[in-house]
Amino acid sequence: INWWKNPADRKPMVDHVKKFGSLEGEIRVLRTKDGRLKECEFAVHQLDLAGQDCLITVVQDVTDRRRIESTIQTLAETASVTDYENFIKLAAKELANAYQVQFAFIGMLLPGSTQMQTQAVWAGSDYAENFIYELKGTPCQDILNLTEELIPCDAWRLYPDDVLLKDMGVESYYGSPLISSDKRLMGIISVMDIKPMHLEQWERPILSLFASRIASEMERQQAFEELNLHRDHLEEMVDLRTAELRSVNKELESFSYSVSHDLRAPLRAINGFSQALLEDYADRLDDEGRDYLSRVSNGANKMSGLIDDLLDLSRVTRGKLNPITVDMSQLAREIIAELRDSEPERQVEVKIADNLQIKADPQLLRVMLTNLLANAWKYTGQTEQACIEIGALEEDGERVFFVKDNGVGFDMQFSKKLFGAFQRLHHPDDFEGSGIGLATVQRIVNRHHGRAVSYTHLRA
């Protein structure tokens, strides 16, 4: 059966198994009998059956999981947005992608009126022009009154006065109000489709996640525009808006914990029921069934770890910096001592230059240096005579602090991805991790007005 989107994908996988005996965690796109494309994770093992070389392959549909991960990653990568228009457009597109629907739009309530002005409209394959419309007789009006969230079917029939719904053939509608930090109604976000909409448990929190994030950016944009309109009273307005932005940041922090709770709840349910099946029905399952349940549980645990890492990443961009003079040499010795305690069997040569003085926030500096040294420790794990060096040098008139090791390294053609959130340059079977550590490092360095760079060879 030719069920590969790209039949050429199969040969390199088979070649890999022939060479190494197995393959784990490989993602490929398959085509279903009805023509739909699915992202699937492969686990392939070689075995001998009655003298014949055979392959046993387990294929898991990870389309929904990858879509969730992509949505979370997009929000992480847009944590410090300065271009409001591009952010709003990206958010509308990602909304449609997250729910796999035809339409998504973000609207702003016009002050003192009964009209809504769209900020971004995604219509199937591209952005549509923005427009202004009357709220009366539309599902948006119910959303703003907080009386409606999901219309699973018959949307255009339920709102016959909404001509736009009928013209678009909208069958289903899911929306949420945009609420400011001082509880003002600011606008609405919604997703719509030309077919009925059925939401899984994990899909509902994503809309709240987007609504909180977009409302914060919309509020910041409104604050920025008001500042431009009141240049004559700039000092007074800055004090006022600074207080409001503090309130917004508190709202963002509250939102982060809300996201953590809302996304973890279904993960706990998945993990809990998987464990219950393994414990209570183990005698009714074969080895393959138990293996599938273990994979489900492991996937839920991985997603929980990604949420933790995402929250850690967001925290380093908030809060006030308290820079003081820090002895980075002593700090590095303390972190290395902790790493040695964690793996006392390892023999690693560590060279730490003396008197590495730097002015920085001590807490953030410890987070940054812990991530760098933990990476060096991890990626020298397969090196016989492992060596890690922490020092400083002068380069092109700049003071450069460095962490150097003789571990596996990386391919420099992918160096631009090194500091991106959720970017991994090594196979997860070789080295564990979520790809958040170096993104955290870069955020901390940026907050100190420095630069984080990567080298394959460092000039001594």
Side-chain angles (χ1 to χ4, degrees):
I1 300 174
N2 183 17
W3 45 298
W4 297 82
K5 178 189 176 186
N6 180 11
D9 283 345
R10 184 177 183 275
K11 186 177 185 304
M13 294 172 62
V14 174
D15 291 342
H16 185 283
V17 177
K18 286 180 179 179
K19 184 175 181 180
F20 298 102
S22 65
L23 179 146
E24 294 282 350
E26 197 75 19
I27 304 293
R28 290 290 185 269
V29 179
L30 301 182
R31 191 185 304 276
T32 64
K33 289 182 178 180
D34 58 2
R36 290 176 297 138
L37 298 179
K38 294 284 187 177
E39 288 188 88
C40 296
E41 183 174 0
F42 282 75
V44 188
H45 293 268
Q46 191 173 7
L47 73 160
D48 181 285
L49 289 179
Q52 288 188 325
D53 288 334
C54 298
L55 298 180
I56 181 169
T57 304
V58 176
V59 184
Q60 182 181 8
D61 181 0
V62 295
T63 307
D64 289 342
R65 189 193 81 193
R66 298 268 288 185
R67 192 166 73 249
I68 298 171
E69 291 175 351
S70 174
T71 300
I72 294 175
Q73 179 178 346
T74 299
L75 289 183
E77 291 175 345
T78 56
S80 299
V81 175
T82 56
D83 189 334
Y84 171 76
E85 182 179 351
N86 284 338
F87 168 76
I88 291 295
K89 291 176 70 174
L90 176 64
K93 181 178 179 181
E94 287 299 319
L95 263 175
N97 179 60
Y99 286 95
Q100 295 289 280
V101 295
Q102 189 82 6
F103 307 104
F105 85 92
I106 300 167
M108 182 174 66
L109 188 64
L110 294 178
S113 76
T114 59
Q115 293 181 317
M116 185 78 70
Q117 181 176 32
T118 63
Q119 304 288 285
V121 181
W122 180 258
S125 60
D126 203 353
Y127 298 100
E129 293 291 331
N130 285 318
F131 56 92
I132 297 175
Y133 65 96
E134 289 288 341
L135 287 168
K136 185 177 180 180
T138 70
C140 300
Q141 185 179 40
D142 289 338
I143 294 292
L144 291 175
N145 293 332
L146 307 180
T147 59
E148 188 72 64
E149 284 189 342
L150 172 65
I151 305 169
C153 61
D154 294 328
W156 67 270
R157 297 179 184 87
L158 293 171
Y159 294 88
D161 294 334
D162 192 332
V163 178
L164 189 60
L165 282 187
K166 185 174 182 179
D167 291 344
M168 295 165 61
V170 173
E171 183 73 17
S172 53
Y173 180 105
Y174 186 38
S176 174
L178 300 176
I179 303 175
S180 69
S181 58
D182 57 356
K183 308 305 178 185
R184 289 182 295 110
L185 281 173
M186 302 176 66
I188 189 173
I189 64 172
S190 74
V191 291
M192 298 171 287
D193 210 351
I194 57 176
K195 61 181 184 299
M197 189 184 306
H198 171 72
L199 297 181
E200 301 293 343
Q201 184 180 10
W202 57 264
E203 290 179 297
R204 287 180 176 267
I206 295 178
L207 196 70
S208 298
L209 183 154
F210 271 91
S212 298
R213 182 73 174 89
I214 292 168
S216 296
E217 289 301 326
M218 189 176 287
E219 189 169 14
R220 290 183 185 188
Q221 178 66 11
Q222 290 179 354
F224 176 76
E225 291 174 354
E226 287 182 28
L227 282 174
N228 285 337
L229 292 173
H230 299 83
R231 292 178 185 273
D232 294 339
H233 308 285
L234 184 59
E235 185 174 349
E236 177 184 353
M237 292 296 293
V238 167
D239 291 340
L240 176 62
R241 294 310 172 210
T242 299
E244 290 185 355
L245 286 174
R246 288 197 188 100
S247 176
V248 171
N249 285 332
K250 288 181 180 179
E251 189 77 6
L252 282 172
E253 186 172 0
S254 174
F255 150 70
S256 294
Y257 285 105
S258 174
V259 170
S260 173
H261 178 270
D262 289 343
L263 289 180
R264 278 201 180 90
L267 289 176
R268 283 195 297 267
I270 292 171
N271 203 14
F273 283 115
S274 298
Q275 292 297 324
L277 279 171
L278 282 171
E279 293 171 6
D280 300 340
Y281 296 88
D283 57 336
R284 305 185 194 180
L285 297 172
D286 58 14
D287 291 342
E288 189 175 24
R290 287 189 289 273
D291 179 63
Y292 285 167
L293 283 175
S294 296
R295 288 173 180 272
V296 171
S297 180
N298 291 337
N301 288 331
K302 180 181 178 182
M303 180 67 75
S304 180
L306 286 172
I307 293 170
D308 288 337
D309 290 338
L310 176 62
L311 292 175
D312 289 340
L313 181 62
S314 69
R315 290 188 188 103
V316 303
T317 63
R318 303 195 302 270
K320 183 180 178 181
L321 284 179
N322 297 298
I324 61 174
T325 300
V326 181
D327 185 354
M328 196 156 62
S329 301
Q330 179 58 33
L331 183 58
R333 293 186 185 100
E334 294 172 6
I335 296 170
I336 289 295
E338 294 170 2
L339 291 169
R340 290 192 189 280
D341 288 342
S342 68
E343 290 186 84
E345 71 281 3
R346 284 194 62 187
Q347 299 297 318
V348 180
E349 180 185 7
V350 180
K351 303 174 183 179
I352 302 176
D354 293 326
N355 199 31
L356 296 175
Q357 301 292 318
I358 186 171
K359 191 170 184 180
D361 184 293
Q363 293 183 339
L364 290 183
L365 187 64
R366 174 177 282 275
V367 172
M368 181 201 75
L369 200 54
T370 297
N371 274 293
L372 289 173
L373 292 176
N375 265 9
W377 187 271
K378 175 171 63 175
Y379 291 115
T380 56
Q382 300 174 7
T383 305
E384 287 187 6
Q385 296 180 333
C387 180
I388 299 173
E389 184 178 355
I390 303 97
L393 52 83
E394 293 290 331
E395 187 177 80
D396 299 329
E398 291 183 313
R399 182 74 163 161
V400 179
F401 296 90
F402 65 84
V403 174
K404 183 168 69 171
D405 65 78
N406 63 342
V408 296
F410 58 91
D411 190 336
M412 275 299 289
Q413 67 174 315
F414 302 116
S415 60
K416 292 183 179 179
K417 295 184 176 182
L418 199 63
F419 295 99
F422 301 105
Q423 297 292 335
R424 301 294 311 281
L425 300 187
H426 297 281
H427 198 282
D429 288 346
D430 297 329
F431 299 96
E432 63 179 9
S434 63
I436 275 293
L438 290 182
T440 301
V441 167
Q442 187 180 58
R443 294 266 174 97
I444 293 173
V445 172
N446 287 346
R447 289 204 66 189
H448 288 81
H449 306 292
R451 291 183 298 114
V453 295
S454 56
Y455 295 88
T456 50
H457 301 286
L458 188 66
R459 188 167 72 240

